[in-house]
Amino acid sequence: MTEAFVRVCALSELEEDTPRRVEIDGTPVSLVRTEGEVFAINDICSHANVSLSEGEVEDCAIECWLHGSSFDLRTGKPSGLPATRPVPVYPVKIEGDDVLVSVTQES
């Protein structure tokens, strides 16, 4: 299946280590610019169904503000309890100043 990338914002709009929530085709996504890269991770915590974009970013991970679970921005895997399930991560492309993300899922 070919990934369909969608422009979500300008790279210049993303502040370092500050998550930004966007919605792509009905999917809530948290964009994070950190350590020289941009990551896209599903914005809903797998433990508590709250927005990850309201959490803090440190060491290429985003922390859920409600119970403190952290998720690796590269893999979506939780690094500590109470979360035990990963959250989806999405491919990101940078073209000039455009940030493009694909949330296409296989059928």
Side-chain angles (χ1 to χ4, degrees):
M1 170 174 236
T2 304
E3 295 173 322
F5 283 86
V6 176
R7 183 191 183 279
V8 291
C9 68
L11 182 60
S12 58
E13 294 177 74
L14 295 177
E15 294 180 39
E16 188 77 11
D17 295 331
T18 302
R20 177 177 178 169
R21 181 185 165 103
V22 297
E23 194 165 301
I24 305 168
D25 296 330
T27 301
V29 175
S30 182
L31 295 176
V32 178
R33 184 178 188 174
T34 189
E35 299 181 7
E37 294 185 63
V38 176
F39 299 93
I41 188 167
N42 192 284
D43 192 46
I44 305 301
C45 177
S46 62
H47 168 256
N49 196 32
V50 297
S51 176
L52 291 175
S53 62
E54 295 178 31
E56 294 186 14
V57 174
E58 186 175 341
D59 296 329
C60 212
I62 190 166
E63 182 180 70
C64 177
W65 62 270
L66 188 58
H67 295 115
S69 289
S70 286
F71 297 89
D72 188 301
L73 291 169
R74 297 168 292 245
T75 66
K77 292 180 181 176
S79 59
L81 296 173
T84 58
R85 292 178 293 127
V87 294
V89 294
Y90 308 107
V92 175
K93 288 195 309 189
I94 307 298
E95 293 181 355
D97 191 45
D98 294 331
V99 177
L100 298 101
V101 177
S102 174
V103 295
T104 304
Q105 298 181 9
E106 294 184 36
S107 308

